[in-house]
Each structure stands twice: as C-alpha cells, then as structure tokens.
C-alpha cells in the first residue's frame, strides 16, 4: 500500500523475520522502479538475537547473512540502530536529489573539529576528497595563516565569526571541484544568519549537496528556508550528518549494483 501511495517517498521498517524472501525481493524491486526508498532495521543479527526472534515470533528465522543478501539484491538499505534508521529516513525524505557517490569536503572554523569529522568519515566509509593544488592556493589567499587549505579546510574562527563573505568564497571554490560532490560547513548561528542564502545559492548553482552543522539558536525562518530548498541537510551534530551521508552513499551503491534481472539466490529461497 505505501509503495503505491503517491504521497509516500520513503518507507522505514523494523522487522524480526519475513515469511517470503521472494516477496521481499519483489517489494525492493518495485520500490526501485517507483524511485522510492526502503530502509530496514533487522532484529536478530547475532546468534542470541536470532534465537530470541524465533522464540518471540514462533517460527524459525534465517541468519543475518541470508537477509543481508536479500536486502542487497532488492536494493533495500539495511541499518543497524534505531538512530541510524531515523537519520536515513530524514535524509531521504528531505532531499530532492543527491549525488551517486559521496565525495566529501569539510569547512570548519576549528581544526580539531575538522580532524574529528574526517576520522569518523573514514570509519563510516564516507570518502573525503583531495583538493587540487590550485584550489588550495586560492583558499590559502582567503584565510589566516593559522588556518589550513587542505581538506578538512580550517578557515579559523576569525572567518566564521567576522568574515562570512570569505567563508562563502571558500565553499564556492570547493563546490567547483569535480572531485567534490558534498560539502559540510560547520558554522555558528550568527555566521549562518549572514550567509545562509549565499551558501544555498552555491549549492544550487554548482549542483552540490550541502550539509550544515549549526551551533546556537538558528531562527525558524532560516531553518525552513534551507530545508525547503531540498538541497541542504541541516543538523546540530556533525556525527548525525556523517551518518546521513553514509546512508545516501550506501543506497546509491545498492541502486548501482542491483537489478531485477539478478536471479534469486539460494539464500533468498531459504529465507
């Protein structure tokens, strides 16, 4: 019912077991054909959890590996926690479009924050882009010597607090890089109030996904303006944003490799 509902774009599900692996595959293929997103949190990934599912539902449940194979063939994104499920659903519901591959650039006012972001990005499998030497040189001309023109770009607090025009110039330079498909910008609420429209214009003009981590009290008007653009992910914590980007990237990989012509695997028949 939800797949055929024209008002429904994203469907999230918590499942313990299913009766038919073939039916699950067909639902995934139908979602792909309709351009909709299925995100699943599967309980019973461990041996103890698997036994608990069987006890709870009253029927045998297949192993996590079998379900994972079905999800992969069907183009269904599997997540591991309820928080991941919520973040993935929010990202898919909010964005009108997103790149086929996430290649990330990061702009912050504190080098330490940038380093922590790239550490977590690597842990999550989110690719961090290399910035061309020419672009690095241009960025270096815009920021204080204490900053860093390499990715993650540290423009320093001087820029994020007092020079939002230079911040937007740096973001635009990164957005012109073919190696970059998504940009995270970490700013405080005062800076965002002065440059949010320019940042949004860059995202639209350069056709890039923009993620903004905000600190302080961002007005409802600005939040609505950014979210309604369907081009921007706006969150409080960088960790949440990186999980969203991981979900987008993982789903793009599923869509690229999945096909209805793939024969049912033995694992699907066993489920």
């Amino acid at each position: 019912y939800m797949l055929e509902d024209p008002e429904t774009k994203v469907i999230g599900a918590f499942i313990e077991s299913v009766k038919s692996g073939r039916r699950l595959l067909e639902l995934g293929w139908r979602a792909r054909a309709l351009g909709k997103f299925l995100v699943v949190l599967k309980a019973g990934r461990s041996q103890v959890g698997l036994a608990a599912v069987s006890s709870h539902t009253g029927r045998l449940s297949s192993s996590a590996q079998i379900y994972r194979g079905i999800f992969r063939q069907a183009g269904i994104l599997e997540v591991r926690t309820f928080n991941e499920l919520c973040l993935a659903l929010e990202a898919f519901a909010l964005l009108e479009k997103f790149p086929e591959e996430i290649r990330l650039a990061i702009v912050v006012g504190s080098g330490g924050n940038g380093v922590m972001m790239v550490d977590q990005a690597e842990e999550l499998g989110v690719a961090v882009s290399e910035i061309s030497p020419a672009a690095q040189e241009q960025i270096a001309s815009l920021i204080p010597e204490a900053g860093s023109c390499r990715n993650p770009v540290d423009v320093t607090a001087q820029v994020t607090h007092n020079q939002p025009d230079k911040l937007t110039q740096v973001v635009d330079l990164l957005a012109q890089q073919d190696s970059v498909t998504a940009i995270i910008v970490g700013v405080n609420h005062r800076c965002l109030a002065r440059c949010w429209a320019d940042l949004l214009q860059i995202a639209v003009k350069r056709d890039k996904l923009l993620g903004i981590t905000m600190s302080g009290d961002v007005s409802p008007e600005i939040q609505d303006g950014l979210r309604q653009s369907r081009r921007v992910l706006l969150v409080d914590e960088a960790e949440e944003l990186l999980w969203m980007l991981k979900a987008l990237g993982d789903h793009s990989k599923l869509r690229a490799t999945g096909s209805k012509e793939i024969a049912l695997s033995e694992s699907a028949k066993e489920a």
Side-chain angles (χ1 to χ4, degrees):
Y1 171 79
M2 290 182 180
L3 281 177
E4 303 303 327
D5 176 19
E7 299 300 318
T8 299
K9 176 185 175 184
V10 187
I11 300 171
F14 171 81
I15 64 173
E16 294 182 337
S17 62
V18 296
K19 294 180 179 179
S20 170
R22 177 184 290 273
R23 178 59 175 155
L24 188 58
L25 279 166
E26 291 172 348
L27 288 172
W29 290 332
R30 180 60 177 162
R32 182 189 299 127
L34 293 171
K36 300 189 177 186
F37 305 96
L38 289 180
V39 187
V40 167
L41 174 59
K42 169 69 174 71
R45 295 190 304 271
S46 66
Q47 289 300 314
V48 175
L50 186 64
V53 166
S54 298
S55 175
H56 181 216
T57 62
R59 61 175 183 262
L60 294 176
S61 181
S62 301
S63 71
Q65 288 80 5
I66 291 175
Y67 275 100
R68 194 162 295 123
I70 296 173
F71 295 149
R72 184 169 54 250
Q73 288 193 41
I76 298 172
L77 178 64
E78 182 185 14
V79 295
R80 299 179 64 84
T81 69
F82 184 72
N83 189 50
E84 287 179 49
L85 176 64
C86 293
L87 291 171
L89 295 177
E90 181 180 352
F92 290 127
L94 184 60
L95 295 176
E96 184 176 53
K97 59 181 295 189
F98 54 90
E100 293 183 0
E101 184 180 358
I102 301 296
R103 300 190 302 273
L104 182 63
I106 298 171
V107 183
V108 291
S110 166
N113 287 340
V115 172
M116 288 191 292
M117 285 188 203
V118 295
D119 282 347
Q120 185 172 22
E122 182 174 322
E123 290 171 1
L124 295 178
V126 177
V128 178
S129 296
E130 290 286 340
I131 307 303
S132 71
Q136 290 187 42
E137 185 176 346
Q138 290 177 285
I139 292 170
S141 70
L142 294 169
I143 64 176
E145 289 187 13
S148 172
C149 58
R150 298 185 62 181
N151 197 12
V153 178
D154 175 13
V155 297
T156 77
Q158 177 179 326
V159 170
T160 58
H161 282 77
N162 304 312
Q163 299 171 309
D165 57 321
K166 290 188 175 181
L167 174 68
T168 56
Q169 289 179 64
V170 169
V171 172
D172 192 39
L173 285 168
L174 293 171
Q176 294 177 55
Q177 296 283 291
D178 292 336
S179 62
V180 173
T181 63
I183 303 171
I184 290 179
V185 183
V187 294
N188 60 66
H189 65 289
R190 292 186 180 87
C191 179
L192 188 59
R194 297 168 63 186
C195 68
W196 73 273
D198 292 331
L199 292 173
L200 179 55
Q201 185 178 28
I202 291 168
V204 173
K205 180 180 179 181
R206 307 297 184 188
D207 195 25
K208 304 291 183 178
L209 171 59
L210 186 62
I212 297 177
T213 62
M214 56 184 180
S215 62
D217 297 322
V218 177
S219 73
E221 292 77 16
I222 293 175
Q223 293 189 46
D224 290 344
L226 289 169
R227 290 195 171 106
Q228 289 174 10
S229 73
R230 311 296 295 277
R231 294 293 191 115
V232 179
L233 295 173
L234 183 66
V235 297
D236 294 323
E237 300 293 337
E239 182 177 0
E240 296 178 343
L241 186 50
L242 288 167
W243 277 108
M244 287 177 165
L245 294 176
K246 172 180 168 55
L248 297 174
D250 286 351
H251 197 276
S252 291
K253 293 173 186 175
L254 284 173
R255 287 288 172 95
T257 57
S259 169
K260 189 170 183 177
E261 284 70 36
I262 296 176
L264 286 173
S265 66
E266 288 302 315
S267 62
K269 296 175 183 178
E270 295 173 18

